[in-house]
Amino acid sequence: MAQDKVTIKQVAAAAGVSITTVSHVLNHVPGKRIHPHTRERVLAEAARLGYTPNMLAQSLRTQRSHTIGLVGDEIATTPFAGKIILGAQDVATSHDSVVFVVNTGYERETEDREIEALLRRQVDGILYAAMYHRPVELPAKLANIPTVLINASCADRSVAWAVPDEAAGGEDAAEVLLSAGHRRLAFINDVDEIPAAFGREEGFRRRAAAWGLAQEDLRVVTAEADPAGGYEAARLLLDDAADRPSGIFCFNDRMAMGVYRAAAELDLHVPRDVSIVGFDNQDFIADGLHPGLTTVELPHYEMGVWAAKELFHQISSEQRPALAPTTSIRGPVIHRASVAPPAQGSDLGGRHQPVDRRGNA
Amino acid sequence: MAQDKVTIKQVAAAAGVSITTVSHVLNHVPGKRIHPHTRERVLAEAARLGYTPNMLAQSLRTQRSHTIGLVGDEIATTPFAGKIILGAQDVATSHDSVVFVVNTGYERETEDREIEALLRRQVDGILYAAMYHRPVELPAKLANIPTVLINASCADRSVAWAVPDEAAGGEDAAEVLLSAGHRRLAFINDVDEIPAAFGREEGFRRRAAAWGLAQEDLRVVTAEADPAGGYEAARLLLDDAADRPSGIFCFNDRMAMGVYRAAAELDLHVPRDVSIVGFDNQDFIADGLHPGLTTVELPHYEMGVWAAKELFHQISSEQRPALAPTTSIRGPVIHRASVAPPAQGSDLGGRHQPVDRRGNA
DNA sequence: TTGTAAGCGTTATCAT
DNA sequence: ATGATAACGCTTACAA
């Protein structure tokens, strides 16, 4: 604990007034009229002594700790945690609050222990973040404190949450490829049965259908969501020149990394011979690949912001609604250099005439 | 603030004893002998009511908040922040503490504001972390509270710090290459004049000299520390087949990414034609590249742990030494598949006979 | 073995 | 316009 030591009492003594008065001037108490002269003196003494209010005492008295907790399952190993934290922190700061962050490592026991630790410290509310989009159960201890979920949904309609708009991402990816002129598409999806996999595929298919693409011209393969998985899937897709998609959408940037490698091995140039769209806009990958990867960004920062705002709203309104708000946020597509119109003639195998629907989406 | 509401007073009432007694049994107060029977009753009532101690009150009374702050300059955009946070949190947990994390974005003003916020909340101590190894000045507000630096050094000898052992990393990288048989080496260094650049080069050169490598067989080039920089430097190094290094050490994994690309363009196979060693062991890059990158890991987690331990030590010893401990931590080398013995005959240009000094380091 | 009461640093009610 | 004083929920001498 800081050796602050200088308390309101000392300021009062130094200024020759009561602590009540000091409190009044320091807090700009509304109804109170205090003499400009004493006000000056108090302010001066407080500054001179380097007075810093003890928020523990304030919190104990006011029943507001100006503190929130952020519990995440995997803050260490995911590049996205930082953005969520930052989003939450930015709004916390604007509410004079600061955030405790705890990691649970997917251990229910650790989670309970850490949440307990936060509750003991009287946090005003809790942000519960998943590092990959998934449905979760609200931990029991969170039933009686304002809570909002980040990157997670919940069957309990009384809890608010923010998730990425996976379907919109899938649509946007399709649009990028389709509007560039591609008519033979492939989607390399994650084998795991998670919302991101369902949503992205659904959106991708929907937009493709809207462009009139036939079923046979949209191949979907699944693989492990890493570079090796992307590589294998891409070999499957690209090996046969006759039946080759000209545009590939990857479940994530890491898989795209593997697709780049497969393309290179087959002497296929990106984007001249294959266009590629990724997902995540993962730092150091999307922008580190060559050529730069066009990808759909995940709105981690924005989810953090939305969730924290909603949390502070709940905190100040002192009551949790029976039906809490929910949002799915669309991430922007980050255009780089992995998409180009299909090579001359490479679309001949397509069953449909290219139709320019640019701007028509 | 949680609607705890159940206080020690209620437990006392329910158990038909005084709050003192409740406090005694709940805290296992040493000298106190309390009747097993009342102890049972208190424990039972506390459990039944779901009593949770209010740590704000405890802290106010005991002058220990069981809370520390972690201030970092860039937690959002670096993949390393998470590991530092995790290391710090792991030891914090073992000391019944939890950590506030704040981001400063390299803004001195934000930094001051956030540190102030932490001090107001009576944190027991502060961890000050830089996201890339560098010397820093201790913020003035930190002068009177236990503080330890992570990934940063400081001219003030009264503050403790932990940094990576850059020179050891450079040595280890050299050792990997040399012991694999390489005798024509290159180091692609960061142009920026930072401790990491100096230290890694120094260590690399030192170990090379120890192996008897001549000056001319160790080329050092500098570039921007990103994939593009690595690519350019590698082209410089690899274009001329006659004067080609067989082993390249890169300042970081991102540069190595560019080196892979350059090699591929020149039809050089890794590791058959060039061996590559990176630095950082950056998630998704070192292990995502193909073949997997052999690299020197940065000890972020360990620095977080060391620093937090030292911090808690200072906190409990209630005094800051005039000369604080300092450590530089050696990161392990992570062996993957980017290093192999040089190709038959590729060492002919070398001025020295290969000497097997394996295990001799 | 158990209870009384003071005090941690504030805010807020009520007097003056 | 300013000041006593009682909480806030807890720990800890000190008493009983």
Side-chain angles (χ1 to χ4, degrees), chain B residues 5 16-17 41 55 67 85-86 117 179 240 261 339:
Chain B
K5 295 294 87 196
V17 298
R41 223 170 47 250
M55 283 194 71
T67 271
I85 295 176
L86 191 61
S179 67
D240 179 11
R261 178 160 72 91
V339 174

Side-chain angles (χ1 to χ4, degrees), chain A residues 103-168:
Chain A
N103 185 269
T104 68
Y106 295 105
E107 308 274 5
R108 203 73 187 189
E109 199 182 334
T110 308
E111 179 175 286
D112 284 345
R113 195 162 26 75
E114 295 291 350
I115 289 178
E116 175 75 21
L118 295 176
L119 295 180
R120 271 167 161 44
R121 283 166 182 84
Q122 313 298 118
V123 292
D124 295 328
I126 286 185
L127 257 17
Y128 186 87
M131 289 314 153
Y132 69 92
H133 180 180
R134 62 198 165 94
V136 300
E137 256 187 88
L138 191 69
K141 309 221 175 199
L142 261 28
N144 291 312
I145 182 172
T147 301
V148 5
L149 273 31
I150 298 177
N151 212 21
S153 58
C154 183
D156 182 347
R157 300 292 281 111
S158 77
V159 24
W161 77 71
V163 294
D165 190 335
E166 309 287 2

